[in-house]
Amino acid sequence: MSALALPASRPARAWLTDVPLLAVAVVWGASYLAAKGVTTQSTVLAVLVLRFGIVLPVLAAAGWRALRALTAAQWRGAGTLGLILSGIFLLETYGVVHTSATNAGLIISLTMIFTPLAEAAVTRVRPSRAFLGAAGTSVLGVVLLTQGGGFTTPSAGDLLMLLAALARTVHVLTMARLKSVQGAEALPLTSVQLGSAVVVFALLCAVPGTGSTPWDAAAAFEPADWAGLLFLSVFCTLFAFFVQMWAVRRTSPSRVSLLLGTEPLWAAAAGIALGGERLGVMGVLGAVLVLAGTGWGRRAAS
C-alpha cells in the first residue's frame, strides 16, 4: 500500500487524528504574534532555551518510568529527532527576525509540497494527481492570503525559512520511518527530543557573541512576556509536538503536513483578531482556498 494512503474503512479514526492536528495548526498560527512579543534578535537563543526548558520537568515527571524503559537505540533515535527539531527552530526563529512575516508564512508553507515529493522519492510511489492538486490549491491560497502585506526583496531570512521548510519535511519523514522509535511511547520520545534541543540551544548560548543569556532575558520579562512565553512553551511546544508524534503514526506524513499547512490561515486569523490586521478580497479568497485545498487533500489521502 502507498504511504500516502489510508485504508478506506477508517474514516472515523482519520477524523479523530485530523482534529488534534488542526488544533496544532491553530496554536502554531498564533505563535507568530506571541514570538514577536517576546523575542528580539539578541534573545532568540535565550527564549528558545526558556521555551523548551519550562516543559522539560513536567515531561520528565509524567513519563519517568517510560523514560527509564527506553532502550539505547530509542534514546539515540529520539536524540536524532531532537537535533532536527533544534535546527527547525533555529532556522525559523532567526528567519522570522530577518524577513517579513509575509515572506515567512509563504515560504514555510512549502512544506506541504516538499513532504509528499520527498515521501514519494523515498517510497518510490508517485503521489496522486488529486493530492498534488490539493497541495497546489493550498499553496495558492497561502500566496493570496499573504499578498496583502506585499513582498520584500529576497533576503538571508527568506533562505533560512526555505531551509526551515525542508527541515520540517525531514522531521516528519524521520518520525514516520525511524525504526528505533516506532515501538516506543510518544511521551518519552517527546521528552528526549525537547531535552536534546535545549542542550543545543544552551550550548549555543554559551558561545560569546550569540546574545543574551536565558537568565538576563528572563529578568527583563514583563508579565505579558511571561504569558507569551508560557503560551509558546505549553501549547506551541508541548501540546503541538506530542500531537504530531502521535498523529504521524496513525496517518501519512503527507497528510500531517497538509493539515499543519493551514498554519498561515490561523496566523492571519490571529493577526485580525488580536493584531488589528485586515484581510482584503484577495486575502479572503486565499483563506477559502487553503481550507478547500486541505479538505480536498484529506479526501485524496483517504
Side-chain angles (χ1 to χ4, degrees):
M1 182 183 295
S2 167
L4 294 174
L6 284 174
S9 61
R10 295 174 58 193
R13 291 187 181 182
W15 272 110
L16 290 175
T17 303
D18 291 348
V19 170
L21 283 171
L22 284 175
V24 170
V26 172
V27 297
W28 275 357
S31 71
Y32 286 100
L33 279 178
K36 284 183 177 296
V38 300
T39 309
T40 66
Q41 183 172 344
S42 64
T43 62
V44 169
L45 290 171
V47 169
L48 287 174
V49 170
L50 293 170
R51 172 178 177 175
F52 284 76
I54 286 174
V55 301
L56 278 179
V58 178
L59 288 172
W64 178 246
R65 291 185 179 179
L67 278 171
R68 295 180 62 184
L70 290 178
T71 65
Q74 289 169 337
W75 274 90
R76 289 193 297 269
T80 298
L81 291 173
L83 292 178
I84 300 172
L85 181 63
S86 67
I88 292 172
F89 273 89
L90 286 170
L91 291 167
E92 284 186 359
T93 309
Y94 278 112
V96 168
V97 169
H98 294 290
T99 190
S100 67
T102 298
N103 284 18
L106 174 59
I107 295 170
I108 202 66
S109 71
L110 293 177
T111 306
M112 290 185 289
I113 294 297
F114 293 157
T115 301
L117 292 179
E119 188 179 16
V122 170
T123 61
R124 298 182 181 180
V125 176
R126 187 175 182 177
S128 68
R129 292 183 179 179
F131 191 93
L132 291 177
T137 299
S138 295
V139 170
L140 176 59
V142 171
V143 173
L144 296 177
L145 186 65
T146 58
Q147 185 73 29
F151 295 96
T152 62
T153 302
S155 64
D158 296 329
L159 177 59
L160 290 174
M161 295 305 301
L162 180 63
L163 293 175
L166 290 170
R168 278 193 182 192
T169 298
V170 172
H171 190 255
V172 173
L173 290 178
T174 303
M175 280 195 294
R177 301 183 66 84
L178 194 62
K179 293 183 179 180
S180 63
V181 301
Q182 289 178 359
E185 297 179 18
L187 179 58
L189 293 182
T190 302
S191 303
V192 177
Q193 275 197 87
L194 298 185
S196 300
V198 169
V199 170
V200 172
F201 301 143
L203 290 175
L204 291 176
C205 271
V207 177
T210 55
S212 302
T213 67
W215 329 115
D216 291 338
F221 276 180
E222 300 291 339
D225 297 320
W226 280 110
L229 181 66
L230 289 174
F231 173 76
L232 290 170
S233 182
V234 176
F235 291 97
C236 302
T237 304
L238 179 62
F239 168 75
F241 284 98
F242 182 83
V243 168
Q244 191 180 15
M245 289 196 68
W246 168 81
V248 79
R249 300 179 183 183
R250 291 161 174 79
T251 185
S252 71
S254 296
R255 187 161 175 164
V256 170
S257 180
L258 190 68
L259 289 166
L260 296 182
T262 61
E263 177 185 334
L265 173 63
W266 307 114
I272 293 171
L274 303 175
E277 300 176 359
R278 295 183 180 180
L279 271 185
V281 175
M282 298 296 284
V284 172
L285 177 59
V288 171
L289 287 177
V290 170
L291 291 175
T294 304
W296 182 15
R298 284 190 66 261
R299 292 189 294 272
S302 297

